[in-house]
Amino acid sequence: MHWHSARNACCRPCSRCYSAWASIAGNHASLVDTIELLDQTLPTELLQPTPAPLLIQNAIRFDTVRFRYTSDGPWVLDGVNLTIS
């Protein structure tokens, strides 16, 4: 075995160990963020029972619809009218 081949044979396991460590260290922040997200309590809006299904007869009509993602957030829809026949 040449010196160059022996050096490569020794370096490969070290290189793999370093790559694995770098991957773990690099993903640490994402893991911490995920754990913090999972530890949050659900908003009360998500804990309400599922409403009964709607019965559609002739059309679906929305009059003056308002929507926001959170109870104190800005309105993303405000006064939207829509009819689907």
Side-chain angles (χ1 to χ4, degrees):
M1 182 180 277
H2 293 89
W3 177 83
H4 182 68
S5 297
R7 181 180 59 101
N8 284 342
C10 282
C11 288
R12 270 187 238 124
C14 291
S15 177
R16 287 185 186 137
C17 286
Y18 175 77
S19 292
W21 175 83
S23 177
I24 291 168
N27 292 322
H28 181 263
S30 295
L31 179 61
V32 168
D33 289 345
T34 301
I35 290 171
E36 288 176 2
L37 180 66
L38 292 173
D39 282 342
Q40 294 180 5
T41 56
L42 289 174
T44 55
E45 296 90 14
L46 297 177
L47 300 175
Q48 296 181 9
T50 304
L54 298 174
L55 299 175
I56 300 170
Q57 294 178 356
N58 297 326
I60 300 172
R61 182 174 171 174
F62 297 98
D63 292 318
T64 319
V65 173
R66 299 177 87 192
F67 177 78
R68 57 184 169 189
Y69 289 100
T70 60
S71 59
D72 59 348
W75 292 105
V76 294
L77 295 178
D78 192 3
V80 173
N81 297 313
L82 174 68
T83 301
I84 303 171
S85 330

